[in-house]
Amino acid sequence: MMTIMDQVKIMTLNTWLGGEAVHDGISKLARAVSFSGADIVGFQETPDPAAAVAKQLGWYSAQNNEGRGNCSIISKYPIVDSFYLEEVSAVAAHIELPSGQRVIAVSTHLYYDPYGPYWALFDGKTAEEIIAMETEVRGSEIGAVLKALEPLVASDAPLFLMGDFNTPSHLDWTEAARASHNDYSIEWPVSRMVEEAGFRDSYRDIHPDPVSMPGNTWSTVHTPEHPWGDNPFEPQDRIDFIYYHGSTVAVTASEVVVLGEPLGFGSHEQNEWPSDHAAVMSIFHIKSL
């Protein structure tokens, strides 16, 4: 029997208020997608721009309905089915590739407050206190997402979980990377939970060293010199992820994506890049028999 190999390019992007933070944001979101070369994109953050961006691109879209959550998926390829994860901010889409192979893409957006790196760098909390908070706040959210995805994980279908997780990874705040994180090493629980559920971190699979390749996605406009709110500076972290699961799936490339050179917050409205996050784009090969 001949083995067929599909390639699919997947991107995740927080849209920063649906593109409303910059002039002509919907068109800029569409250009960001085109620039990336992605085939499937997970969006996060209200108001949801998926239908408008998909229309500009001639793509398909799936969004949360009835006001639940703030996530969506757009796809160059047909979305044959979609569903919404109850009581959490997540949407899933079954997408048919040109070969007929089907993959499942999930976009999620975890809550932003309290933000763990602020606790570490500004509030002097211990690693144990931060882990307890993260487990209670975002751990409960990702736990619900992972619970809903258990049947798909068990089926071994090609499955991609992406989004703005609003928390760093245990693969980044390591002993070797202490100098980058004010001498902290933290086993961030959300990424650990995703890993224990059988998913792999596509960016860190390709770039295993967090010191030489931190892969920061926060923030394109809230830079150390243009901090959020009253922060004395803005810590830079990798908080946007594309995780994957399935024995037929392999990641072959992954990169942080930004178009142009965004100006800092306060001078951002004319930026070509529409978001305060960088995007992540990963390329996967999927075998089918």
PDB file of all heavy atoms in Angstrom, residues 85-110:
ATOM      1  N   LEU A  85     -16.291  24.002  22.607  1.00  0.00           N
ATOM      2  CA  LEU A  85     -16.084  23.344  23.881  1.00  0.00           C
ATOM      3  C   LEU A  85     -16.815  24.116  24.961  1.00  0.00           C
ATOM      4  O   LEU A  85     -16.534  25.297  25.198  1.00  0.00           O
ATOM      5  CB  LEU A  85     -14.590  23.241  24.189  1.00  0.00           C
ATOM      6  CG  LEU A  85     -13.741  22.609  23.074  1.00  0.00           C
ATOM      7  CD1 LEU A  85     -12.314  22.392  23.557  1.00  0.00           C
ATOM      8  CD2 LEU A  85     -14.335  21.284  22.605  1.00  0.00           C
ATOM      9  N   GLU A  86     -17.759  23.483  25.597  1.00  0.00           N
ATOM     10  CA  GLU A  86     -18.626  24.135  26.556  1.00  0.00           C
ATOM     11  C   GLU A  86     -17.828  24.707  27.733  1.00  0.00           C
ATOM     12  O   GLU A  86     -16.902  24.074  28.244  1.00  0.00           O
ATOM     13  CB  GLU A  86     -19.670  23.146  27.101  1.00  0.00           C
ATOM     14  CG  GLU A  86     -20.608  22.596  26.040  1.00  0.00           C
ATOM     15  CD  GLU A  86     -21.596  23.616  25.533  1.00  0.00           C
ATOM     16  OE1 GLU A  86     -21.726  24.677  26.172  1.00  0.00           O
ATOM     17  OE2 GLU A  86     -22.245  23.343  24.509  1.00  0.00           O
ATOM     18  N   GLU A  87     -18.201  25.917  28.144  1.00  0.00           N
ATOM     19  CA  GLU A  87     -17.703  26.572  29.352  1.00  0.00           C
ATOM     20  C   GLU A  87     -16.223  26.918  29.302  1.00  0.00           C
ATOM     21  O   GLU A  87     -15.639  27.310  30.311  1.00  0.00           O
ATOM     22  CB  GLU A  87     -17.990  25.705  30.596  1.00  0.00           C
ATOM     23  CG  GLU A  87     -19.471  25.457  30.819  1.00  0.00           C
ATOM     24  CD  GLU A  87     -19.728  24.577  32.024  1.00  0.00           C
ATOM     25  OE1 GLU A  87     -18.751  24.173  32.686  1.00  0.00           O
ATOM     26  OE2 GLU A  87     -20.907  24.306  32.299  1.00  0.00           O
ATOM     27  N   VAL A  88     -15.589  26.772  28.157  1.00  0.00           N
ATOM     28  CA  VAL A  88     -14.213  27.233  28.000  1.00  0.00           C
ATOM     29  C   VAL A  88     -14.122  27.975  26.675  1.00  0.00           C
ATOM     30  O   VAL A  88     -14.988  27.848  25.810  1.00  0.00           O
ATOM     31  CB  VAL A  88     -13.197  26.074  28.018  1.00  0.00           C
ATOM     32  CG1 VAL A  88     -13.141  25.435  29.396  1.00  0.00           C
ATOM     33  CG2 VAL A  88     -13.512  25.041  26.953  1.00  0.00           C
ATOM     34  N   SER A  89     -13.065  28.755  26.533  1.00  0.00           N
ATOM     35  CA  SER A  89     -12.882  29.525  25.320  1.00  0.00           C
ATOM     36  C   SER A  89     -12.103  28.690  24.315  1.00  0.00           C
ATOM     37  O   SER A  89     -10.871  28.714  24.278  1.00  0.00           O
ATOM     38  CB  SER A  89     -12.129  30.825  25.641  1.00  0.00           C
ATOM     39  OG  SER A  89     -11.983  31.608  24.489  1.00  0.00           O
ATOM     40  N   ALA A  90     -12.818  27.925  23.510  1.00  0.00           N
ATOM     41  CA  ALA A  90     -12.170  27.061  22.526  1.00  0.00           C
ATOM     42  C   ALA A  90     -13.149  26.662  21.433  1.00  0.00           C
ATOM     43  O   ALA A  90     -14.347  26.503  21.692  1.00  0.00           O
ATOM     44  CB  ALA A  90     -11.589  25.809  23.185  1.00  0.00           C
ATOM     45  N   VAL A  91     -12.627  26.486  20.239  1.00  0.00           N
ATOM     46  CA  VAL A  91     -13.405  26.004  19.107  1.00  0.00           C
ATOM     47  C   VAL A  91     -12.554  24.987  18.367  1.00  0.00           C
ATOM     48  O   VAL A  91     -11.329  25.112  18.309  1.00  0.00           O
ATOM     49  CB  VAL A  91     -13.830  27.162  18.174  1.00  0.00           C
ATOM     50  CG1 VAL A  91     -12.626  27.901  17.617  1.00  0.00           C
ATOM     51  CG2 VAL A  91     -14.720  26.679  17.038  1.00  0.00           C
ATOM     52  N   ALA A  92     -13.189  23.963  17.817  1.00  0.00           N
ATOM     53  CA  ALA A  92     -12.493  22.914  17.076  1.00  0.00           C
ATOM     54  C   ALA A  92     -13.112  22.774  15.695  1.00  0.00           C
ATOM     55  O   ALA A  92     -14.323  22.932  15.527  1.00  0.00           O
ATOM     56  CB  ALA A  92     -12.573  21.584  17.820  1.00  0.00           C
ATOM     57  N   ALA A  93     -12.262  22.463  14.713  1.00  0.00           N
ATOM     58  CA  ALA A  93     -12.741  22.299  13.340  1.00  0.00           C
ATOM     59  C   ALA A  93     -12.112  21.059  12.720  1.00  0.00           C
ATOM     60  O   ALA A  93     -10.906  20.828  12.858  1.00  0.00           O
ATOM     61  CB  ALA A  93     -12.393  23.526  12.509  1.00  0.00           C
ATOM     62  N   HIS A  94     -12.946  20.249  12.061  1.00  0.00           N
ATOM     63  CA  HIS A  94     -12.473  19.134  11.249  1.00  0.00           C
ATOM     64  C   HIS A  94     -12.256  19.677   9.834  1.00  0.00           C
ATOM     65  O   HIS A  94     -13.187  20.206   9.215  1.00  0.00           O
ATOM     66  CB  HIS A  94     -13.503  18.008  11.219  1.00  0.00           C
ATOM     67  CG  HIS A  94     -13.704  17.352  12.541  1.00  0.00           C
ATOM     68  ND1 HIS A  94     -13.197  16.107  12.837  1.00  0.00           N
ATOM     69  CD2 HIS A  94     -14.352  17.769  13.665  1.00  0.00           C
ATOM     70  CE1 HIS A  94     -13.525  15.773  14.081  1.00  0.00           C
ATOM     71  NE2 HIS A  94     -14.234  16.772  14.604  1.00  0.00           N
ATOM     72  N   ILE A  95     -11.048  19.529   9.332  1.00  0.00           N
ATOM     73  CA  ILE A  95     -10.650  20.142   8.067  1.00  0.00           C
ATOM     74  C   ILE A  95     -10.165  19.061   7.113  1.00  0.00           C
ATOM     75  O   ILE A  95      -9.379  18.190   7.506  1.00  0.00           O
ATOM     76  CB  ILE A  95      -9.539  21.192   8.295  1.00  0.00           C
ATOM     77  CG1 ILE A  95     -10.087  22.321   9.194  1.00  0.00           C
ATOM     78  CG2 ILE A  95      -9.020  21.749   6.979  1.00  0.00           C
ATOM     79  CD1 ILE A  95      -9.022  23.223   9.758  1.00  0.00           C
ATOM     80  N   GLU A  96     -10.636  19.113   5.878  1.00  0.00           N
ATOM     81  CA  GLU A  96     -10.252  18.111   4.883  1.00  0.00           C
ATOM     82  C   GLU A  96      -9.163  18.668   3.975  1.00  0.00           C
ATOM     83  O   GLU A  96      -9.370  19.673   3.273  1.00  0.00           O
ATOM     84  CB  GLU A  96     -11.459  17.685   4.058  1.00  0.00           C
ATOM     85  CG  GLU A  96     -11.165  16.530   3.114  1.00  0.00           C
ATOM     86  CD  GLU A  96     -12.420  15.943   2.515  1.00  0.00           C
ATOM     87  OE1 GLU A  96     -13.251  15.389   3.266  1.00  0.00           O
ATOM     88  OE2 GLU A  96     -12.562  16.038   1.278  1.00  0.00           O
ATOM     89  N   LEU A  97      -8.017  18.018   3.967  1.00  0.00           N
ATOM     90  CA  LEU A  97      -6.901  18.412   3.121  1.00  0.00           C
ATOM     91  C   LEU A  97      -7.149  17.942   1.686  1.00  0.00           C
ATOM     92  O   LEU A  97      -8.021  17.106   1.434  1.00  0.00           O
ATOM     93  CB  LEU A  97      -5.606  17.815   3.666  1.00  0.00           C
ATOM     94  CG  LEU A  97      -5.263  18.150   5.122  1.00  0.00           C
ATOM     95  CD1 LEU A  97      -3.914  17.541   5.513  1.00  0.00           C
ATOM     96  CD2 LEU A  97      -5.268  19.652   5.372  1.00  0.00           C
ATOM     97  N   PRO A  98      -6.387  18.459   0.714  1.00  0.00           N
ATOM     98  CA  PRO A  98      -6.632  18.088  -0.690  1.00  0.00           C
ATOM     99  C   PRO A  98      -6.561  16.589  -0.956  1.00  0.00           C
ATOM    100  O   PRO A  98      -7.234  16.081  -1.858  1.00  0.00           O
ATOM    101  CB  PRO A  98      -5.530  18.836  -1.437  1.00  0.00           C
ATOM    102  CG  PRO A  98      -5.263  20.038  -0.591  1.00  0.00           C
ATOM    103  CD  PRO A  98      -5.417  19.562   0.818  1.00  0.00           C
ATOM    104  N   SER A  99      -5.777  15.843  -0.170  1.00  0.00           N
ATOM    105  CA  SER A  99      -5.664  14.393  -0.359  1.00  0.00           C
ATOM    106  C   SER A  99      -6.884  13.638   0.129  1.00  0.00           C
ATOM    107  O   SER A  99      -7.043  12.449  -0.143  1.00  0.00           O
ATOM    108  CB  SER A  99      -4.434  13.873   0.398  1.00  0.00           C
ATOM    109  OG  SER A  99      -4.646  13.983   1.794  1.00  0.00           O
ATOM    110  N   GLY A 100      -7.745  14.326   0.893  1.00  0.00           N
ATOM    111  CA  GLY A 100      -8.867  13.667   1.544  1.00  0.00           C
ATOM    112  C   GLY A 100      -8.621  13.379   3.011  1.00  0.00           C
ATOM    113  O   GLY A 100      -9.561  13.046   3.749  1.00  0.00           O
ATOM    114  N   GLN A 101      -7.372  13.486   3.423  1.00  0.00           N
ATOM    115  CA  GLN A 101      -7.027  13.335   4.838  1.00  0.00           C
ATOM    116  C   GLN A 101      -7.697  14.422   5.665  1.00  0.00           C
ATOM    117  O   GLN A 101      -7.779  15.574   5.244  1.00  0.00           O
ATOM    118  CB  GLN A 101      -5.509  13.442   4.987  1.00  0.00           C
ATOM    119  CG  GLN A 101      -5.004  13.597   6.398  1.00  0.00           C
ATOM    120  CD  GLN A 101      -4.763  12.260   7.073  1.00  0.00           C
ATOM    121  OE1 GLN A 101      -5.696  11.504   7.303  1.00  0.00           O
ATOM    122  NE2 GLN A 101      -3.514  11.968   7.360  1.00  0.00           N
ATOM    123  N   ARG A 102      -8.195  14.054   6.838  1.00  0.00           N
ATOM    124  CA  ARG A 102      -8.820  15.040   7.715  1.00  0.00           C
ATOM    125  C   ARG A 102      -7.966  15.269   8.956  1.00  0.00           C
ATOM    126  O   ARG A 102      -7.405  14.319   9.520  1.00  0.00           O
ATOM    127  CB  ARG A 102     -10.226  14.599   8.121  1.00  0.00           C
ATOM    128  CG  ARG A 102     -11.194  14.635   6.956  1.00  0.00           C
ATOM    129  CD  ARG A 102     -12.628  14.405   7.380  1.00  0.00           C
ATOM    130  NE  ARG A 102     -13.522  14.474   6.227  1.00  0.00           N
ATOM    131  CZ  ARG A 102     -14.848  14.407   6.302  1.00  0.00           C
ATOM    132  NH1 ARG A 102     -15.433  14.250   7.492  1.00  0.00           N
ATOM    133  NH2 ARG A 102     -15.585  14.496   5.216  1.00  0.00           N
ATOM    134  N   VAL A 103      -7.876  16.537   9.348  1.00  0.00           N
ATOM    135  CA  VAL A 103      -7.166  16.915  10.566  1.00  0.00           C
ATOM    136  C   VAL A 103      -8.121  17.722  11.436  1.00  0.00           C
ATOM    137  O   VAL A 103      -9.144  18.233  10.959  1.00  0.00           O
ATOM    138  CB  VAL A 103      -5.898  17.735  10.255  1.00  0.00           C
ATOM    139  CG1 VAL A 103      -4.952  16.948   9.351  1.00  0.00           C
ATOM    140  CG2 VAL A 103      -6.250  19.087   9.621  1.00  0.00           C
ATOM    141  N   ILE A 104      -7.781  17.840  12.703  1.00  0.00           N
ATOM    142  CA  ILE A 104      -8.606  18.593  13.652  1.00  0.00           C
ATOM    143  C   ILE A 104      -7.768  19.716  14.226  1.00  0.00           C
ATOM    144  O   ILE A 104      -6.690  19.480  14.788  1.00  0.00           O
ATOM    145  CB  ILE A 104      -9.127  17.690  14.783  1.00  0.00           C
ATOM    146  CG1 ILE A 104      -9.893  16.513  14.195  1.00  0.00           C
ATOM    147  CG2 ILE A 104     -10.018  18.491  15.733  1.00  0.00           C
ATOM    148  CD1 ILE A 104      -9.932  15.308  15.094  1.00  0.00           C
ATOM    149  N   ALA A 105      -8.238  20.938  14.086  1.00  0.00           N
ATOM    150  CA  ALA A 105      -7.559  22.112  14.618  1.00  0.00           C
ATOM    151  C   ALA A 105      -8.404  22.700  15.737  1.00  0.00           C
ATOM    152  O   ALA A 105      -9.625  22.849  15.598  1.00  0.00           O
ATOM    153  CB  ALA A 105      -7.346  23.152  13.521  1.00  0.00           C
ATOM    154  N   VAL A 106      -7.761  23.032  16.845  1.00  0.00           N
ATOM    155  CA  VAL A 106      -8.439  23.602  18.009  1.00  0.00           C
ATOM    156  C   VAL A 106      -7.761  24.917  18.362  1.00  0.00           C
ATOM    157  O   VAL A 106      -6.530  24.977  18.493  1.00  0.00           O
ATOM    158  CB  VAL A 106      -8.374  22.651  19.220  1.00  0.00           C
ATOM    159  CG1 VAL A 106      -9.137  23.232  20.406  1.00  0.00           C
ATOM    160  CG2 VAL A 106      -8.912  21.271  18.848  1.00  0.00           C
ATOM    161  N   SER A 107      -8.549  25.960  18.525  1.00  0.00           N
ATOM    162  CA  SER A 107      -8.038  27.266  18.942  1.00  0.00           C
ATOM    163  C   SER A 107      -8.603  27.589  20.323  1.00  0.00           C
ATOM    164  O   SER A 107      -9.814  27.471  20.549  1.00  0.00           O
ATOM    165  CB  SER A 107      -8.463  28.350  17.941  1.00  0.00           C
ATOM    166  OG  SER A 107      -8.030  29.634  18.356  1.00  0.00           O
ATOM    167  N   THR A 108      -7.724  27.998  21.242  1.00  0.00           N
ATOM    168  CA  THR A 108      -8.163  28.320  22.598  1.00  0.00           C
ATOM    169  C   THR A 108      -7.495  29.596  23.087  1.00  0.00           C
ATOM    170  O   THR A 108      -6.457  30.011  22.563  1.00  0.00           O
ATOM    171  CB  THR A 108      -7.876  27.150  23.561  1.00  0.00           C
ATOM    172  OG1 THR A 108      -8.546  27.373  24.796  1.00  0.00           O
ATOM    173  CG2 THR A 108      -6.376  26.987  23.818  1.00  0.00           C
ATOM    174  N   HIS A 109      -8.106  30.213  24.090  1.00  0.00           N
ATOM    175  CA  HIS A 109      -7.593  31.456  24.666  1.00  0.00           C
ATOM    176  C   HIS A 109      -7.820  31.391  26.168  1.00  0.00           C
ATOM    177  O   HIS A 109      -8.951  31.488  26.632  1.00  0.00           O
ATOM    178  CB  HIS A 109      -8.334  32.652  24.062  1.00  0.00           C
ATOM    179  CG  HIS A 109      -7.723  33.973  24.390  1.00  0.00           C
ATOM    180  ND1 HIS A 109      -8.329  35.177  24.066  1.00  0.00           N
ATOM    181  CD2 HIS A 109      -6.562  34.304  25.011  1.00  0.00           C
ATOM    182  CE1 HIS A 109      -7.576  36.176  24.467  1.00  0.00           C
ATOM    183  NE2 HIS A 109      -6.493  35.673  25.050  1.00  0.00           N
ATOM    184  N   LEU A 110      -6.731  31.224  26.914  1.00  0.00           N
ATOM    185  CA  LEU A 110      -6.838  31.132  28.358  1.00  0.00           C
ATOM    186  C   LEU A 110      -6.817  32.531  28.979  1.00  0.00           C
ATOM    187  O   LEU A 110      -6.311  33.486  28.393  1.00  0.00           O
ATOM    188  CB  LEU A 110      -5.704  30.282  28.925  1.00  0.00           C
ATOM    189  CG  LEU A 110      -5.557  28.875  28.335  1.00  0.00           C
ATOM    190  CD1 LEU A 110      -4.505  28.081  29.105  1.00  0.00           C
ATOM    191  CD2 LEU A 110      -6.877  28.129  28.301  1.00  0.00           C
TER     192      LEU A 110
END
